[in-house]
Amino acid sequence: MVEVKLTLVGMLKEYAAGEDTVTAQAGQVISEVLSELAIPPELVAVVMVNGRQESKSYRLREGDEVNLVPLVGGGAFYSKESSLWQLKPS
Amino acid sequence: MNGYGGTILRVNLTNKTIKKQPTDPGLAQNYLGGRGFAAYTLYTEVPKRADPLGPENRLIVAPGPLSGLLVPGAGKITFAAKSPATGGYADSSMGGIFCGEFRYAGYDAIIFEGVSPKPVYLFIEDETVELRDASAYWGQGCITAERALKDELGEEFQIAVVGPAAENLVKYACISHDFGRQAGRAGVGTVMGSKKLKAIAVRGTKSIPIADVDQFREQARAMFQACQESKGLEVWQKYGTVGVTQWANEVGAFPTRNFQSGAFEESDNLIGPVFREQIVRTDKGCFSCPSPCGKYSYSSKHNIHVEGPEYETEAFLGGDVGIGDLEDVAYANYLCDEWGLDTISAGNVIAFAMECFEGGLITTDDTDGLELNFGNAQAMFTLIEKIAKREGIGHILAEGSKAAAERFGAESADFAMQIKGLEISGYESRHAPAMLLAYMTCDVGAHHNRAWAITYDIEAGRDKFTEDKAAKVIELQHIRPLFDCLGACRLQWVELGLDLGYYAPILKTITGVDRSWDDLLKISERIWNLTRCFWVREVEGFGREWDYPPARVWKEPVVGGPTAGKLVPKEKVDKLLDMYYEQRGWDKNGIPTEEKLAELGLSDLVEG
């Protein structure tokens, strides 16, 4: 099986115990990977694959460079390291 | 005074006097700049119940202490007035490069008062400030007039200009700059048009005094570096705000057919990669921007260049009017830019008219023969021009959807998608209570930029109507408008995740005044309460009723998409307001209490 690395940005790291990257298999669909990591798909604003925005139904290929980008400071998603993390979901 | 030019210009357009007054250090201390200066000036200078389109209203132009400095995104300037669209407080922030020249000319604000008997523009070159005849430019579109003024004065002058929509007093006319940047919302352009002020042209060559230049440079470099290292940069630089179009549809937040739905079946034609690969020609950033989200585009179908469309414009000249052809959206964007219309309100009003037409409330007899069905791009193009010229049905729609609903009658007010008279911006919120509350309580009417809380709904649970939702809205209503006081763009924080902890220290290096982030938030809270008091004073009977959304929110469930069937019952709307008012220290009708005003140092300013 060929592995593909996905980079988690910002608060999405919290779904991988703080790790920046996770590994998936070529042939998997992004939404399956999100499901395995228990990341709610609505939290992922943009999926970037090799510098291009793709949908969550994109099927991973060998050599893909993938960034999963959340929506950040507009609403809830302060990084927890920030002193400005004030309100967590109840 | 470090961080400030030290001079405020007062321009009386009636008698053509121009005065230079020193900037009050107390004003800078308590209100920072930008929106803060504007709110204070409007509250203290506009006579109670003044006509927004009359000589007593003020138009205020104000950068902040970060504007024009090498801080990420410090390219913002505020335009403010009593709104002709709502009758209440209005400010709108504009990007581009205008604010830099404005600051280098040495000014902290311009206060326009009166009405000129004939069209004029304000010329500023450092100490030289003159009102000049603008007859030759009157009637020209924003892009055309800006080009002509630059041809006359030189490229180094930066121009803020209004178009025919403002001249014709369309209630949602914008102020335009740099061929596609606008102060768009709540009719600040209309006020400029009412004063017969066609443009402001400014060039400056001075410097801005900084308390500790070495520390400033170090802080600013760290901020730029953090932006450059952000993983979000790739997304936002490539697609700008259109990067979220796909997501907005996935979560059922994309306004579709006058907010009947939150997911548009043709949205795949509007998403980031299609936009970038089909029409974008180059990136276009504002002053001192590390993450240029502006996109300059070309439509071969219509043979026009346009900046955009942005996400909000795709929402309102696309999904909300049922149009999924990106080049048609771009062309409508171009038309609004040239005529000088806010694309959010213009699209929202057209969508309202389309729903009225499809529901039989208006017919071709009312629309000058236009078949105003959703998806009819040609009808939209025609209607934009009719609104700008106030021709036929355009004369009614030029007043905004609230006023138009009063004309069209029947139940149309239920789906005139506005709050306080300002058309709702681009997030369907029947399954996003915090976002709905943000719209209900926004201090210029229903605009997203004061509290883009939908992300919090998604993280915290979209069905929850809990205290933390109100708390988050309040928190954001203090953070986000603070950027409009500082004169900086909030998108480095929103899009790149730039830590808010940078801002108080860098402000200290500029002004020399030691203030914590909490101190700055307190200033923002003071301003929020002052703008609320402005509404209370200016609008007879102002209170809870004015915070209600249109009845569609509780009467009609979302049609189709991932949020199908969702609505917010009226008692939940009231619950949101109850929680919000209590947490704000306001009474049950949404009026700031004496205790709250005293806490914020506003007791002497606000009349009982």
Side-chain angles (χ1 to χ4, degrees), chain B residues 206-418:
Chain B
K206 297 189 232 173
S207 59
I208 299 161
I210 291 178
D212 187 335
V213 174
D214 291 340
Q215 281 290 316
F216 168 74
R217 282 191 180 135
E218 194 173 310
Q219 287 283 334
R221 191 176 291 120
M223 292 173 83
F224 275 106
Q225 191 169 341
C227 292
Q228 288 297 318
E229 289 169 358
S230 166
K231 294 280 187 191
L233 184 61
E234 174 187 43
V235 176
W236 298 107
Q237 185 153 333
K238 198 156 207 174
Y239 304 118
T241 54
V242 169
V244 301
T245 299
Q246 189 167 44
W247 171 85
N249 278 278
E250 282 174 13
V251 302
F254 195 66
T256 301
R257 284 184 285 278
N258 197 36
F259 286 90
Q260 293 179 63
S261 180
F264 183 39
E265 63 280 3
E266 294 180 58
S267 66
D268 281 352
N269 301 332
L270 305 176
I271 61 176
V274 175
F275 169 62
R276 181 86 206 185
E277 290 153 23
Q278 190 173 322
I279 66 169
V280 172
R281 289 293 175 268
T282 187
D283 301 329
K284 186 167 177 280
C286 300
F287 176 86
S288 198
C289 179
S291 49
C293 68
K295 304 293 155 227
Y296 207 63
S297 304
Y298 174 71
S299 163
S300 55
K301 180 177 177 180
H302 298 287
N303 192 27
I304 51 93
H305 286 90
V306 64
E307 182 175 342
E310 297 264 356
Y311 167 78
E312 290 285 334
T313 301
E314 284 198 340
F316 289 102
L317 301 176
D320 210 40
V321 285
I323 290 169
D325 182 316
L326 179 59
E327 295 205 41
D328 286 346
V329 177
Y331 184 55
N333 189 165
Y334 164 80
L335 290 173
C336 285
D337 285 4
E338 178 70 339
W339 289 108
L341 289 165
D342 170 25
T343 58
I344 297 175
S345 281
N348 191 316
V349 168
I350 292 169
F352 168 71
M354 286 176 164
E355 185 166 353
C356 288
F357 184 82
E358 292 205 341
L361 293 177
I362 55 174
T363 69
T364 50
D365 290 342
D366 305 297
T367 65
D368 317 313
L370 285 176
E371 298 282 348
L372 268 186
N373 297 99
F374 286 111
N376 186 344
Q378 199 57 50
M380 170 173 67
F381 303 150
T382 305
L383 204 46
I384 288 169
E385 184 173 341
K386 280 179 173 291
I387 289 168
K389 291 179 171 174
R390 282 186 174 269
E391 279 181 3
I393 190 172
H395 187 58
I396 297 168
L397 298 178
E399 293 294 309
S401 58
K402 183 182 180 186
E406 287 166 14
R407 284 288 292 269
F408 297 158
E411 74 277 22
S412 69
D414 287 358
F415 58 84
M417 300 307 289
Q418 55 75 37

Side-chain angles (χ1 to χ4, degrees), chain B residues 451-592:
Chain B
W452 191 51
I454 188 167
T455 52
Y456 188 74
D457 284 309
I458 286 170
E459 191 183 19
R462 297 179 72 168
D463 285 320
K464 286 186 179 172
F465 289 75
T466 40
E467 291 283 350
D468 57 302
K469 294 280 179 99
K472 177 56 74 176
V473 169
I474 292 168
E475 181 194 19
L476 290 171
Q477 286 175 341
H478 294 164
I479 295 172
R480 293 175 65 100
L482 185 54
F483 283 88
D484 299 331
C485 300
L486 296 170
C489 179
R490 61 181 68 79
L491 293 186
Q492 284 68 44
W493 164 54
V494 176
E495 295 178 347
L496 306 184
L498 183 63
D499 198 310
L500 292 171
Y502 282 114
Y503 287 92
I506 199 160
L507 182 65
K508 184 188 171 190
T509 69
I510 296 164
T511 62
V513 181
D514 191 9
R515 279 178 291 217
S516 68
W517 179 250
D518 283 343
D519 294 336
L520 298 177
L521 288 179
K522 204 69 185 169
I523 291 173
S524 199
E525 184 182 7
R526 177 180 302 129
I527 296 164
W528 194 270
N529 278 264
L530 186 60
T531 60
R532 187 76 176 184
C533 289
F534 188 82
W535 281 96
V536 172
R537 189 183 73 182
E538 295 302 316
V539 177
E540 190 169 359
F542 185 83
R544 176 182 291 254
E545 293 277 331
W546 287 80
D547 290 335
Y548 283 144
R552 163 157 287 165
V553 166
W554 58 79
K555 282 185 177 174
E556 295 178 37
V558 176
V559 178
T563 56
K566 296 292 181 184
L567 50 69
V568 181
K570 182 80 178 297
E571 62 270 21
K572 291 279 182 68
V573 169
D574 274 316
K575 183 183 177 187
L576 287 169
L577 288 175
D578 287 341
M579 292 188 298
Y580 176 89
Y581 294 159
E582 186 175 350
Q583 288 187 38
R584 273 220 170 271
W586 295 355
D587 71 16
K588 290 188 183 307
N589 195 31
I591 312 296

Side-chain angles (χ1 to χ4, degrees), chain B residues 21-38:
Chain B
Q21 62 189 61
T23 304
D24 175 5
L27 184 66
Q29 178 71 23
N30 293 319
Y31 294 92
L32 281 176
R35 160 182 157 84
F37 281 12

Side-chain angles (χ1 to χ4, degrees), chain A residues 7-11 13-15 20-21 40-57 65-90, chain B residues 231-232 234-236 238-239 242-247 250-252 271-274 277 451-456 458-462 464 466-468 471-472 475-476 479-480 493-497 499-501 517-518 521 562:
Chain A
T7 301
L8 301 177
V9 177
M11 58 85 67
K13 292 176 203 168
E14 291 165 21
Y15 291 87
D20 285 344
T21 57
E42 292 187 330
L43 290 185
V44 180
V46 178
V47 177
M48 290 293 276
V49 182
N50 306 323
R52 185 181 193 273
Q53 185 175 12
E54 298 289 351
S55 77
K56 287 166 191 142
S57 58
E65 286 186 23
V66 183
N67 285 335
L68 301 179
V69 185
L71 287 162
V72 283
F77 307 146
Y78 304 141
S79 95
K80 279 191 177 169
E81 302 87 71
S82 167
S83 57
L84 298 152
W85 177 264
Q86 294 175 4
L87 288 164
K88 294 179 191 173
S90 62
Chain B
K231 294 280 187 191
E234 174 187 43
V235 176
W236 298 107
K238 198 156 207 174
Y239 304 118
V242 169
V244 301
T245 299
Q246 189 167 44
W247 171 85
E250 282 174 13
V251 302
I271 61 176
V274 175
E277 290 153 23
W452 191 51
I454 188 167
T455 52
Y456 188 74
I458 286 170
E459 191 183 19
R462 297 179 72 168
K464 286 186 179 172
T466 40
E467 291 283 350
D468 57 302
K472 177 56 74 176
E475 181 194 19
L476 290 171
I479 295 172
R480 293 175 65 100
W493 164 54
V494 176
E495 295 178 347
L496 306 184
D499 198 310
L500 292 171
W517 179 250
D518 283 343
L521 288 179

